[in-house]
Amino acid sequence: MVDPYGFIPFTLFCPFPLHFTGILFSSNFYVYGLKKAGDEKITHVAKVFPLAYWVNRSHVSHEGTFFRECSKEGLAPPYLGTMFVTIEGKTYGLIISEYYGEGTLKQLWQSNLKEKEKDQIIKRLRELFEALAQKGIDHGDVHGENLLFTRKGEDYEFRLVDFESSSWKKEKSHIYPEIEISTGEILVL
């Protein structure tokens, strides 16, 4: 994939050097893989927003705030920080976190899962959303690609990403969102 922002090769210092390795995901923003010098594996990711009419510094800071709060509770991958960089006169907002997981819930759900595994996944997702509700946070964009998973033996752990639509709930409750697993299939918890 061609790098539209010219971030490769690019090294970011925050507080240690992270080297951009390439784009992992693209939408109306790009998620880049980052690694420390000498590491073979990607260790961090940066969600990059070009600052323009549809996104500004407060938009990026808003998402960073929710990412940080959820990260403290283990509901999101470990958060490193939000920063702004200017390259050749263009400013970008970056949200940086540790690389997490083996894939998305959508990918996991499309694999050959047994009923017992599906039940375990639903149980873990219910726990995640209960914790989110207890924090008083409405994610605002829950779907299978915004939930990352990792296996822990025969169990799973999930973390949320993409907090740009998040908001504080007026009252804490036990409301479970619908999660889009794949086209046309909705899992209601």
Side-chain angles (χ1 to χ4, degrees):
M1 184 180 297
V2 176
D3 179 11
Y5 302 148
F7 280 4
I8 302 171
F10 178 72
T11 300
L12 185 66
F13 295 89
C14 61
F16 42 82
L18 288 172
H19 306 284
F20 281 72
T21 62
I23 297 170
L24 301 176
F25 177 80
S26 67
S27 179
N28 55 353
F29 57 86
Y30 291 86
V31 175
Y32 286 80
L34 305 169
K35 61 183 180 178
K36 294 179 186 177
D39 283 349
E40 294 298 316
K41 290 183 168 183
I42 293 172
T43 57
H44 293 75
V45 294
K47 182 175 179 181
V48 178
F49 301 89
L51 297 188
Y53 68 92
W54 62 273
V55 67
N56 56 40
R57 286 178 184 263
S58 64
H59 177 101
V60 176
S61 296
H62 169 88
E63 182 167 358
T65 297
F66 283 97
F67 203 118
R68 180 183 63 247
E69 288 303 309
C70 289
S71 178
K72 284 194 257 183
E73 300 297 322
L75 306 174
Y79 171 81
L80 188 58
T82 300
M83 64 186 327
F84 299 92
V85 296
T86 302
I87 301 170
E88 296 180 4
K90 293 182 181 174
T91 303
Y92 303 90
L94 284 72
I95 295 175
I96 302 165
S97 68
E98 288 184 13
Y99 182 80
Y100 180 86
E102 300 170 37
T104 66
L105 174 62
K106 182 177 179 178
Q107 293 166 329
L108 177 62
W109 203 258
Q110 291 173 344
S111 65
N112 291 331
L113 294 171
K114 297 176 183 154
E115 278 308 308
K116 182 179 176 184
E117 288 175 298
K118 288 181 180 181
D119 290 343
Q120 188 67 20
I121 289 168
I122 291 169
K123 179 180 176 186
R124 291 295 166 242
L125 291 172
R126 184 177 302 266
E127 291 169 358
L128 176 77
F129 294 120
E130 282 177 353
L132 199 64
Q134 288 300 313
K135 286 285 294 170
I137 296 173
D138 178 11
H139 183 274
D141 191 21
V142 175
H143 57 78
E145 291 179 343
N146 282 345
L147 281 152
L148 306 178
F149 80 94
T150 192
R151 295 178 210 274
K152 296 289 184 180
E154 292 185 21
D155 203 356
Y156 296 91
E157 277 186 6
F158 292 92
R159 300 288 185 268
L160 284 160
V161 293
D162 195 4
F163 292 90
E164 67 184 275
S165 299
S166 296
S167 62
W168 298 105
K169 292 182 182 181
K170 295 196 187 283
E171 293 182 26
K172 296 179 183 180
S173 65
H174 293 281
I175 297 172
Y176 303 107
E178 295 178 344
I179 303 171
E180 182 181 335
I181 301 297
S182 62
T183 306
E185 183 179 347
I186 301 290
L187 170 68
V188 180
L189 299 178

